[in-house]
Amino acid sequence: MPEHRKVVIIGSGPAGLTAGIYTARAQLDPVVLEGEPSSTSDQPGGQLMLTTEVENFPGFPDGVTGPELMGHMRAQALRFGAELKTVKATKVDLSARPFKVWVDGEEPSYLADSLIVATGARSLMLGLPNEDRLLGYGLSTCATCDGFFYRGHEIAVVGGGDSAIEEATFLTRFATKVHLLVRRDQLRASKIMQERALHNDKIEIHWNTKVTALHGEPKLTSITVEDTVTGASSPLEVTGIFVAIGHVPNTSIFEGQLELHDNGYIAMGEGSRTSVEGVFACGDVQDHVYRQAITSAGSGCMAAIDAERWLEGQGA
């Protein structure tokens, strides 16, 4: 028989665990479906589990590692009575209340009076050897998170869209030089963003260029790039590389269930409300603009409060 809960939270990054803290304190007996350690899309703790130093999360003046921060959040959720399950939600049925959530087998595992979606998003990567090992040790997907660590360094940014140029421009505050590696012979970014890159003396654009190898132990010391026209390879001495080729929200199980934008992110109504009454979303699964731990945590708080008030209105 499935467990019937007032609140089921899917995802355990900053958004999901903050929602767990708030709903537990409201005595709503939430269960948080953390994800699975072997999953690349919704691992317990979210993307911060792949981050080394976090220096911009309030309350940690000396910084904190991503895993440490998520460990603190997890312990806080448990302290207030949230139940955490290291399982991956594989299917949902949001056509009627209570909502149904599957984690394994043919029968639903949970019935939920309300549902909070905090499944996050994942960065598109290059698919190269050493990526996993160097992530957080010279390889990054977030300039605003990690740019400070590259003060005085020569670094690279991969991508040709608005996000890549935004990252490259931001990184010029710290780096001595930023190599923008563009796979094509033109930028995909908007005209105004292109102008910023083309007229920034600290940005050097490498056209028709792709990264073929990452080098360094234990940290990144250089990369190998290849000319996509001639096939010629050459080394590039950089101590940091930022991948800015896009993000993919973890919304596959909500297709046909919730309204999604064309880019796959959850379409939001007022506050944290989704297109289905009683279903709320928070964190990177609905935010393709800010993508910060602190904004995710804040939206998790919003989702918890919205769910609590909605349940009160339903007499639950």
Side-chain angles (χ1 to χ4, degrees):
M1 291 289 291
E3 290 187 38
H4 194 149
R5 297 290 187 118
K6 287 186 177 181
V7 180
V8 171
I9 300 168
I10 304 179
S12 62
L17 289 177
T18 301
I21 291 167
Y22 272 77
T23 51
R25 280 175 53 84
Q27 298 185 350
L28 294 176
D29 190 31
V31 61
V32 180
L33 309 183
E34 295 186 279
E36 294 178 336
S38 60
S39 173
T40 59
S41 61
D42 61 352
Q43 62 184 346
Q47 294 186 80
L48 277 183
M49 296 301 290
L50 305 175
T51 304
T52 50
E53 291 295 320
V54 178
E55 291 196 328
N56 54 5
F57 198 92
F60 295 91
D62 297 322
V64 63
T65 70
E68 284 176 330
L69 179 59
M70 298 320 300
H72 289 316
M73 288 190 179
R74 192 177 190 276
Q76 195 170 359
L78 289 169
R79 175 194 168 198
F80 291 116
E83 184 177 359
L84 277 63
K85 295 284 191 179
T86 309
V87 295
K88 179 180 178 179
T90 57
K91 177 182 175 182
V92 296
D93 182 355
L94 309 180
S95 61
R97 294 195 298 269
F99 307 119
K100 299 181 180 68
V101 181
W102 283 256
V103 297
D104 54 37
E106 298 182 358
E107 297 298 322
S109 301
Y110 295 95
L111 301 178
D113 293 328
S114 65
L115 184 70
I116 295 178
V117 179
T119 47
R122 63 191 185 278
S123 299
L124 294 175
M125 301 300 287
L126 301 173
L128 297 175
N130 294 333
E131 270 188 348
D132 290 344
R133 181 175 62 81
L134 290 171
L135 192 60
Y137 296 91
L139 174 63
S140 175
T141 60
C142 179
T144 53
C145 305
D146 300 330
F148 178 83
F149 301 112
Y150 295 90
R151 188 178 296 277
H153 290 233
E154 194 164 320
I155 59 180
V157 173
V158 182
D162 280 352
S163 294
I165 293 180
E166 185 177 346
E167 300 258 289
T169 303
F170 176 82
L171 289 165
T172 59
R173 302 180 188 182
F174 311 103
T176 56
K177 187 174 187 179
V178 177
H179 298 270
L180 183 61
L181 311 180
V182 184
R183 196 178 182 95
R184 302 160 58 188
D185 61 356
Q186 60 184 337
L187 295 168
R188 293 182 289 104
S190 59
K191 292 296 183 183
I192 188 170
M193 296 299 287
Q194 291 188 39
E195 289 297 313
R196 290 179 185 176
L198 293 168
H199 292 90
N200 192 316
D201 293 338
K202 294 180 75 172
I203 296 178
E204 179 180 345
I205 302 179
H206 300 250
W207 306 106
N208 301 310
T209 300
K210 68 177 182 178
V211 182
T212 57
L214 307 172
H215 310 288
E217 174 68 45
K219 296 182 178 181
L220 182 80
T221 56
S222 67
I223 63 176
T224 299
V225 296
E226 179 183 298
D227 188 307
T228 60
V229 176
T230 67
S233 293
S234 59
L236 187 59
E237 302 295 325
V238 293
T239 54
I241 181 169
F242 289 77
V243 180
I245 56 178
H247 292 77
V248 178
N250 299 319
T251 53
S252 59
I253 66 171
F254 304 106
E255 293 177 1
Q257 303 273 343
L258 294 174
E259 181 183 349
L260 306 177
H261 292 296
D262 291 341
N263 59 7
Y265 287 82
I266 294 177
M268 301 300 292
E270 182 182 357
S272 63
R273 292 165 178 79
T274 69
S275 58
V276 175
E277 187 177 355
V279 179
F280 307 88
C282 52
D284 287 4
V285 74
Q286 52 85 44
D287 171 22
H288 59 90
V289 177
Y290 301 104
R291 294 197 298 263
Q292 299 295 302
I294 189 65
T295 53
S296 290
S299 67
C301 165
M302 293 167 57
I305 292 173
D306 285 343
E308 178 187 359
R309 292 174 177 173
W310 182 83
L311 285 167
E312 286 178 356
Q314 301 297 308

